[in-house]
């Protein structure tokens, strides 16, 4: 029961923040994808950066459980392309559509129902797709920490990469002034 | 050039990202496994456990996932509650069909709902195949410096940018 309450609390805070920044608005999401407004992509990348620093500190203090998903090229590429096509079409992610439903957006309700159908379809094909695409291209639970020897160096490399991406989005997206950088 | 977003009710990017990071680190500290929004799956498992228990128990996808009454389920219900609370206190009007969509395809709700349904289908099908979504694989993965999360992030951003360009065509989101 504690788990459910912690989930509700975490979800409510999460939903509140993403609504306030505008990530539940498919218009803002589309403007981000169309390089017309840098705010949402910058927000996502900076949230990753700050969280990575936070998690690193948490682990240094001996806390936090992690779960590294394997780098499995076939599944990530095929799954990522399907995901990206849908994201560009709808302007919703699996998470933002829940908060957008709460906010009262009717098109998000349909994205959510479509998501349920997509999950059911995948679950039905799971026994066939996972051995076909996922398993053969699985190279393991690799991280930047493995690649660069230590977690700290991995974090520094990732931070440089993320900050460069945030800066570049500010430069290349149309109204750079409204973003973070 | 003037900023596109002069709406004072929108939180600025940097403090909002700090706030979200605080929540994500809280999740890592309390729940344990990284956050994920695919609570969809747990609701579906609950559904199939009711109507077709044998299918739910033998299907490898459902049997590997937590059922209803899990952290994940709480998280997505919380997301909806948080969206609701922020929506009613934020004083912004929500639209069933975004303005950018109306400029390209008109006001038809049917077209928009059919597209978000199809988009939702592809998003979740792709997420289940890859092993997670924007939050569960890209964000949670990259936060742990996982190469899977970083690669997935690059693929979904690149594809979504291309897909949005095709969807919005010549108008490309600009006001006429």
């Amino acid at each position: 029961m504690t788990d459910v309450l912690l989930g509700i609390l975490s979800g409510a805070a999460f939903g509140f923040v993403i609504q306030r920044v505008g990530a539940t608005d498919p218009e803002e999401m589309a403007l981000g994808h169309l390089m017309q407004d840098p705010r949402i992509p910058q927000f996502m990348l900076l949230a990753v950066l700050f969280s990575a620093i936070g998690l690193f500190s948490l682990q240094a203090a001996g806390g936090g459980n992690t779960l590294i998903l394997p780098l499995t090229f076939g599944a990530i590429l095929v799954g990522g392309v399907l995901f990206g096509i849908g994201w560009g079409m709808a302007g919703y992610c699996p998470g933002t559509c829940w908060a957008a439903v709460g906010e009262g957006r009717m098109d998000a309700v349909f994205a959510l129902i479509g998501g349920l159908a997509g999950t059911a379809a995948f679950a039905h094909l799971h026994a066939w797709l996972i051995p076909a695409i996922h398993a053969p291209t699985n190279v393991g639970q690799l991280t930047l920490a493995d690649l660069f020897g230590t977690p700290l160096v991995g974090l520094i490399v990732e931070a440089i990469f993320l900050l460069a991406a945030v800066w570049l989005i500010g430069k290349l997206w149309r109204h750079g002034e409204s973003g973070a950088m | 050039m003037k900023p596109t977003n002069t709406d004072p009710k929108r939180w600025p990017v940097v403090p909002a990202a700090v706030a979200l990071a605080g929540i994500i680190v809280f999740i890592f500290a309390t729940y344990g496994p990284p956050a994920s929004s695919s609570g969809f799956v747990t609701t579906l498992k609950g559904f199939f456990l009711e109507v077709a228990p044998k299918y739910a128990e033998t299907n490898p996808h459902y049997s590997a996932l937590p059922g209803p009454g899990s952290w994940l389920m709480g998280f997505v219900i919380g997301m909806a509650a948080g969206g609701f609370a922020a929506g009613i206190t934020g004083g912004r009007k929500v639209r069933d069909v975004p303005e950018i969509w109306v400029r390209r395809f008109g006001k038809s709700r049917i077209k928009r709902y059919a597209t978000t349904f199809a988009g939702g289908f592809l998003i979740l099908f792709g997420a289940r195949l890859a092993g997670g979504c924007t939050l569960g694989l890209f964000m949670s993965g990259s936060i742990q410096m996982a190469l899977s999360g970083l690669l997935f992030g690059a693929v979904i951003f690149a594809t979504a940018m291309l897909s949005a360009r095709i969807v919005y065509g010549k108008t490309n989101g600009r006001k006429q």
Side-chain angles (χ1 to χ4, degrees):
Chain A
M1 197 56 206
T2 320
D3 258 9
V4 180
L5 291 177
L6 273 175
I8 293 174
L9 178 68
S10 309
F14 201 102
F16 193 91
V17 172
I18 63 171
Q19 195 279 343
R20 280 302 160 89
V21 79
T24 58
D25 184 346
E27 174 113 9
E28 293 249 353
M29 196 63 94
L31 291 173
H33 289 148
L34 292 165
M35 301 175 78
Q36 301 286 322
D37 190 330
R39 295 180 69 256
I40 301 302
Q42 285 185 329
F43 164 71
M44 291 170 68
L45 295 178
L46 286 174
V48 169
L49 173 66
F50 300 145
S51 302
I53 296 168
L55 178 63
F56 182 86
S57 316
L58 184 66
Q59 286 179 315
N65 291 313
T66 54
L67 175 69
I68 310 285
L69 293 172
L71 177 60
T72 162
F73 286 102
I76 287 175
L77 290 177
V78 177
V81 167
L82 293 175
F83 186 106
I85 295 170
W87 196 17
M89 283 165 68
Y92 290 117
C93 302
T96 63
C97 82
W98 283 91
V101 167
E103 201 188 354
R105 292 182 188 274
M106 194 46 79
D107 57 350
V109 173
F110 283 85
L112 204 150
I113 298 170
L116 287 171
T119 303
F122 179 79
H124 198 70
L125 299 173
H126 176 108
W128 174 72
L129 278 174
I130 293 295
I133 302 182
H134 195 284
T137 55
N138 188 342
V139 296
Q141 297 168 300
L142 290 175
T143 68
L144 287 177
D146 303 322
L147 222 61
F148 291 95
T150 71
L152 182 62
V153 180
L155 181 67
I156 292 168
V157 171
E158 176 158 310
I160 292 170
F161 170 79
L162 288 169
L163 284 172
V166 168
W167 176 79
L168 209 64
I169 290 169
K171 283 273 160 207
L172 297 178
W173 267 236
R174 201 168 172 79
H175 298 288
E177 296 88 338
S178 68
M181 284 190 184
Chain B
M1 267 193 279
K2 285 211 175 123
T4 36
N5 200 323
T6 47
D7 190 336
K9 294 197 177 78
R10 285 274 190 260
W11 284 2
V13 167
V14 175
V18 171
L20 196 75
I23 297 161
I24 291 173
V25 174
F26 173 80
I27 294 170
F28 271 111
T30 55
Y31 167 56
S36 157
S37 344
S38 306
F40 280 106
V41 190
T42 63
T43 57
L44 264 187
K45 182 177 179 176
F47 171 75
F48 281 114
L49 278 172
E50 284 297 321
V51 300
K54 212 164 197 157
Y55 179 70
E57 278 156 23
T58 51
N59 181 290
H61 206 67
Y62 295 123
S63 54
L65 289 155
S70 61
W71 184 94
L72 272 178
M73 189 69 230
F75 185 71
V76 290
I77 290 169
M79 283 274 258
F84 174 75
I88 54 163
T89 55
R92 286 177 58 86
K93 263 195 279 180
V94 296
R95 303 173 56 106
D96 288 338
V97 185
E99 223 177 303
I100 185 175
W101 179 273
V102 172
R103 286 200 292 276
R104 169 82 166 149
F105 298 105
K107 286 183 179 158
S108 162
R109 284 194 161 82
I110 304 292
K111 266 193 218 172
R112 173 66 186 162
Y113 296 168
T115 307
T116 53
F117 178 89
F121 185 99
L122 288 173
I123 290 165
L124 261 293
F125 192 95
R128 297 325 307 160
L129 176 60
C133 56
T134 325
L135 175 59
L137 180 55
F138 162 56
M139 295 185 74
S140 299
S142 304
I143 290 162
Q144 302 168 82
M145 294 184 251
L147 298 184
S148 53
L150 292 163
L151 176 64
F152 185 69
V155 174
I156 63 173
F157 270 110
T159 317
M161 285 171 71
L162 202 67
S163 158
R165 256 166 214 267
I166 294 166
V167 168
Y168 293 103
K170 271 190 208 148
T171 58
N172 201 11
R174 287 181 200 90
K175 286 187 179 156
Q176 303 289 307

